Amino acid sequence: MNTSFERTGPLMELDSYPQWAQEMVGECDLVKHTVVDHVLWDVMREEPNPEVTATFMVGAWPMIERFPGYMAQSLLKTRFGRSAGDNAARRWLVRNIRVEQNHAEHWLKWAEGSGVPREELLEGPLPPGTQVMADWCEEVSRSDSLAASVAAVNYAIEGATGEWAQILYDSESFAAQYPADTRKASLRWLQLHAAYDDRHPWEALEIVCIILGAEPKATEVAHVAECIKRSYTTMRIFGTRCVQPGRILEAEERPQVAAA
Ligand SMILES: [Fe+2]
């Protein structure tokens, strides 16, 4: 029985992937919507809010800076010639780490254009509670399987990012927050992720399918799905932290109020 997966349909159509992957994507998309539909994007589009902007820019920076590092950790798990999945992942990761080369600098330029000096990102401190996304990416990239890290980082994080980046990049009220003469440079990161990352998550999904094959064990699929959902969940927590800066403190205070 041949259980390998080789895509024959178009890259960016879900029908091109095995049945298990189609079901997994459908299940995980319910959680992805909590990121893509997060109120943070409405808040950012409406009008500049310096506290939200600073929390967003500084809080996401560790993940932005480390992103090629996560991919490098996935690359370290591959060995050429061991399997079709190893070969495909190795080829794709080598190529795409290079694509990430300038993205950290673009993020710093976006921050500066938003009024957040790059020193705040480079030297910190981090807003409390924003580290959850980067910590999770680090953990799954370092300690879990190749399929899990490619799914969690390159499929889930990049996929949801492509969608929220598109929301902001398409917004006229958001663009109007940036002076016309520097707008293009400030929003370069957004432009790149709204477009380039359209293909990126699909390519990552294809690699996950090549690694796991057409008929993986249910437990393998469940684990990868769990990792994908965890990525979305950390993004949602991050988004909520950006729009509710006092949330942790409020949560700590609540039991006292209830006890009174
Ligand atoms: Fe990137």
Side-chain angles (χ1 to χ4, degrees):
M1 187 170 59
N2 182 8
T3 58
S4 63
F5 169 70
E6 205 171 322
R7 179 174 58 81
T8 51
L11 175 75
M12 290 162 66
E13 281 179 25
L14 196 52
D15 284 354
S16 304
Y17 298 90
Q19 188 63 32
W20 66 262
Q22 295 183 32
E23 289 166 12
M24 179 185 76
V25 166
E27 181 189 318
C28 294
D29 273 359
L30 299 172
V31 187
K32 183 171 77 173
H33 280 297
T34 67
V35 179
V36 178
D37 300 338
H38 199 281
V39 69
L40 172 62
W41 319 124
D42 296 330
V43 170
M44 289 177 74
R45 277 184 297 180
E46 272 165 22
E47 57 182 331
N49 179 320
E51 194 175 2
V52 170
T53 304
T55 306
F56 176 79
M57 287 296 171
V58 179
W61 169 246
M63 203 190 71
I64 303 294
E65 188 281 325
R66 188 71 175 141
F67 207 84
Y70 304 141
M71 294 163 78
Q73 286 178 310
S74 287
L75 177 61
L76 286 172
K77 298 172 193 170
T78 69
R79 196 181 307 157
F80 186 77
R82 185 163 53 186
S83 68
D86 276 59
N87 290 355
R90 185 178 182 277
R91 190 182 322 117
W92 185 81
L93 285 162
V94 166
R95 200 177 64 227
N96 280 279
I97 286 170
R98 194 171 181 283
V99 174
E100 294 291 330
Q101 166 67 21
N102 297 321
H103 292 185
E105 181 58 31
H106 292 318
W107 185 272
L108 292 176
K109 288 221 174 78
W110 184 15
E112 286 180 320
S114 311
V116 185
R118 63 173 58 209
E119 290 72 28
E120 277 193 41
L121 281 69
L122 297 173
E123 291 158 29
L126 280 173
T130 54
Q131 189 67 15
V132 59
M133 214 162 45
D135 284 350
W136 161 243
C137 288
E138 192 72 43
E139 181 190 330
V140 73
S141 300
R142 193 180 52 230
S143 310
D144 215 310
S145 66
L146 179 62
S149 55
V150 171
V153 174
N154 300 106
Y155 170 73
I157 300 275
E158 284 278 4
T161 296
E163 292 187 38
W164 68 251
Q166 192 82 54
I167 291 170
L168 293 183
Y169 193 69
D170 287 348
S171 165
E172 286 179 22
S173 60
F174 185 73
Q177 296 172 21
Y178 297 82
D181 56 336
T182 52
R183 184 179 300 149
K184 196 168 168 36
S186 292
L187 301 183
R188 181 73 177 137
W189 188 95
L190 265 185
Q191 183 190 16
L192 282 172
H193 287 79
Y196 142 76
D197 281 344
D198 267 348
R199 289 182 67 82
H200 186 124
W202 287 103
E203 290 168 351
L205 179 64
E206 180 179 23
I207 285 172
V208 171
C209 291
I210 296 171
I211 295 169
L212 294 182
E215 295 176 31
K217 289 185 193 141
T219 50
E220 287 180 310
V221 177
H223 179 64
V224 169
E226 171 72 22
C227 291
I228 291 169
K229 288 187 218 169
R230 210 177 266 214
S231 290
Y232 296 145
T233 301
T234 61
M235 294 177 91
R236 176 177 52 76
I237 292 169
F238 173 80
T240 302
R241 178 63 188 77
C242 289
V243 291
Q244 297 180 352
R247 189 164 170 268
I248 292 169
L249 190 60
E250 282 169 21
E252 284 171 356
E253 284 170 349
R254 212 166 286 138
Q256 291 175 2
V257 174

